[in-house]
């Protein structure tokens, strides 16, 4: 999807204390970037930031990193997150721009991420494009490298084929899927996975059921 250019995006992000222009400088040292100790929760493809905005003010003990591709997306995310904090200082959020296919350039084993959220990633329906899916087994291998032992991936989508394929990808890449639903908003669960993203709100309003899964990384087989 083409985003309309936003001349204000770059200067506003440059002045934002929780935006990192050079995330590669943080590789292996993300915990040091936050002023206090806490587990890292990473959102891949955070879009306009509604998910982190819904969680970060409620969980000052956790550190949220949101990654997306471009300033035109990240600058609105910055505004949405600031609005959610309502003028209070923001110490537990980092936003940055990078291609998740090259995640290894900016994060490594030492970063010990406890949870990764993947919300409404592009389903790439054509088989020749499947390898671009953010849940494809090669991507899940990359995430395994930075996840803490017992680290988890929480995944949501509107897309049935992507959902079913992703359950299989998890198993293939050495994750245990321990919770699933094919209708999140009819499910009695009430934890962080129910916080609505921008796309989730849009699909739910169209009557599309939201599918979700939680998976935990298994120790590597010797
Ligand atoms: C369909 S939107 C979903 C946004 C948000 N998670 C939501 O649920 O509203 C997918 C997002 O993933 C981002 N994205 C897709 N591929 C990416 C990549 N390789 N690296 C970084 N971000 C990516 C897009 O820029 C877009 O903001």
């Amino acid at each position: 999807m083409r985003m309309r250019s936003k001349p204000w995006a770059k200067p506003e992000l440059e002045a934002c204390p929780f935006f990192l222009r050079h995330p590669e400088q943080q590789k292996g040292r993300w915990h040091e970037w936050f002023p206090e100790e806490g587990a890292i929760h990473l959102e891949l493809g955070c879009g306009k930031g509604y998910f982190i905005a819904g969680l970060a003010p409620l969980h000052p003990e956790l550190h949220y990193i949101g990654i997306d591709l471009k300033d035109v997306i990240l600058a609105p995310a910055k505004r949405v997150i600031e609005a959610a904090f309502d003028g209070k200082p923001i110490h537990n959020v980092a936003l940055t721009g990078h291609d998740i296919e090259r995640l290894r350039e900016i994060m490594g084993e030492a970063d010990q991420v406890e949870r990764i959220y993947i919300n409404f990633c592009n389903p790439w329906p054509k088989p020749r494009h499947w390898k671009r899916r953010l849940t494809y087994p090669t991507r899940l291998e990359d995430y395994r490298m930075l996840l803490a032992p017992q680290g988890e991936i929480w995944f949501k989508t509107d897309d049935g084929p992507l959902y079913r394929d992703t359950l299989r990808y998890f198993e293939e890449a050495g994750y245990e899927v321990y919770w699933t639903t094919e209708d999140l908003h009819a499910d009695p669960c009430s934890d962080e996975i129910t916080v609505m993203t921008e796309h989730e709100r849009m699909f739910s309003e169209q009557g599309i059921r939201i599918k979700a899964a939680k998976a935990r990384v298994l120790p590597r087989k010797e």
Side-chain angles (χ1 to χ4, degrees):
M1 185 176 57
R2 280 181 70 126
M3 298 285 292
R4 198 174 300 165
S5 89
K6 295 184 175 64
W8 53 271
K10 187 166 185 244
E12 201 166 308
L13 286 173
E14 300 292 351
C16 172
F18 59 92
F19 174 73
L20 291 95
R21 177 62 75 198
H22 298 289
E24 65 285 355
Q25 293 174 356
Q26 232 36 63
K27 181 174 178 176
R29 303 191 298 131
W30 281 95
H31 280 279
E32 292 169 24
W33 190 82
F34 295 96
E36 287 167 24
E37 285 192 15
I40 291 180
H41 288 192
L42 169 67
E43 189 187 5
L44 299 177
C46 63
K48 293 197 191 134
Y50 286 92
F51 191 69
I52 288 180
L55 288 172
L58 302 177
H59 293 285
E61 77 287 5
L62 296 175
H63 298 150
Y64 291 91
I65 302 175
I67 302 181
D68 210 295
L69 276 172
K70 297 205 170 122
D71 286 3
V72 285
I73 303 167
L74 289 160
K78 174 234 173 220
R79 288 187 174 184
V80 167
I81 291 165
E82 280 176 342
F85 274 84
D86 196 20
K88 296 188 193 75
I90 302 175
H91 295 306
N92 65 334
V93 177
L95 278 182
T96 197
H98 203 74
D99 183 348
I100 293 156
E101 293 191 23
R102 296 185 285 108
L103 191 61
R104 281 168 180 265
E105 292 174 1
I106 65 166
M107 290 196 136
E109 215 172 310
D111 292 310
Q112 295 286 294
V113 171
E114 298 226 343
R115 190 179 298 164
I116 295 176
Y117 292 108
I118 304 175
N119 294 322
F120 301 89
C121 61
N122 190 323
W124 293 108
K126 293 187 182 147
R128 70 174 189 277
H129 293 146
W130 283 351
K131 58 180 177 300
R132 296 186 191 166
R133 290 172 163 175
L134 294 188
T135 58
Y136 200 67
T138 44
R139 296 276 79 73
L140 295 178
E141 267 299 320
D142 281 356
Y143 310 153
R144 163 190 271 288
M145 168 263 317
L146 50 104
L147 277 168
Q150 300 284 308
E152 300 195 359
I153 300 182
W154 290 19
F155 167 68
K156 298 199 270 191
T157 184
D158 59 300
D159 189 88
L162 174 67
Y163 171 70
R164 287 187 288 279
D165 288 348
T166 295
L167 297 185
R168 183 167 44 80
Y169 297 160
F170 276 133
E171 304 292 345
E172 283 175 22
Y175 293 74
E176 174 196 19
V177 177
Y178 69 90
W179 179 87
T180 60
T181 179
E182 297 204 9
D183 191 356
L184 177 63
H185 298 293
D187 195 282
C189 88
S190 62
D191 62 20
E192 299 94 309
I193 204 157
T194 60
V195 171
M196 285 252 197
T197 76
E198 183 195 19
H199 282 73
E200 184 167 3
R201 192 167 297 285
M202 188 178 79
F203 292 126
S204 299
E205 284 170 4
Q206 292 168 17
I208 298 171
R209 289 185 187 160
I210 306 305
K211 295 81 155 141
K214 298 177 188 173
R216 139 178 347 113
V217 70
L218 293 170
R220 270 190 202 284
K221 291 195 185 110
E222 293 304 320

